[in-house]
Amino acid sequence: HADNWLVAGGCEQIRELFRKTDRRFGGFRQKIIGDRLVFRWIESGNSVRLKWQGLIYGDQGMFVSRELFESLGGFPEIELMEDFEFSRSLKSTGRPALLGGPTFVSARRWQRLGVVRQTFLNWSLALAYRLGASTQWIARQYRRHDL
């Protein structure tokens, strides 16, 4: 995700996790760049999703040990949703860690389309993928609004 960046010291958080536990993958808490309260709700919701569903999205600074990454065959070669699909593979190996980070997230898409419309689009496309929509169709829907 080109519109995300990790806090200084983020890599040390991963090394510390790997030194102290047997967890080998996870993500970071998010900090969406913007003062609106709704961004805090989105951040919280994404942390809850990681904890309860065990799913990490790329904008949460997904990390995984090289050994685990290679044992799962790496990211699938699909046009979009590769983070979601890989996260489902990771989930089969255990629970992800949620590190404090944060990973900073640009609010650009939410600001351009509107928070409700962008969030609805994100949820709709994730549901479409789960129901079997092609990644090519999903990619067209996702990118079309961002021209």
Side-chain angles (χ1 to χ4, degrees), residues 9-45:
C11 291
E12 183 52 40
Q13 291 178 42
I14 297 169
R15 285 196 276 299
E16 179 96 0
L17 176 78
F18 285 1
R19 271 196 304 270
K20 291 185 173 184
T21 74
D22 61 351
R23 291 192 179 180
R24 291 297 176 252
F25 70 98
F28 292 91
R29 293 192 185 280
Q30 293 174 312
K31 172 66 176 156
I32 300 170
I33 304 304
D35 294 332
R36 296 181 60 194
L37 181 60
V38 70
F39 293 143
R40 306 299 76 86
W41 294 342
I42 293 169
E43 294 162 358
S44 296

Side-chain angles (χ1 to χ4, degrees), residues 68-135:
L68 183 54
F69 182 81
E70 290 175 353
S71 75
L72 294 173
F75 286 110
E77 295 290 328
I78 55 179
E79 193 166 347
L80 197 69
M81 305 299 286
E82 70 285 349
D83 55 349
F84 180 84
E85 190 59 38
F86 188 65
S87 185
R88 287 180 11 175
S89 296
L90 285 169
K91 184 178 171 179
S92 71
T93 71
R95 299 292 299 167
L98 177 62
L99 300 181
T103 181
F104 296 99
V105 180
S106 168
R108 174 183 55 90
R109 285 187 182 266
W110 288 293
Q111 290 167 337
R112 183 176 292 162
L113 192 63
V115 173
V116 172
R117 287 177 57 200
Q118 181 64 53
T119 301
F120 180 76
L121 176 68
N122 293 345
W123 289 352
S124 297
L125 295 178
L127 178 61
Y129 180 73
R130 287 178 187 223
L131 295 175
S134 76
T135 57

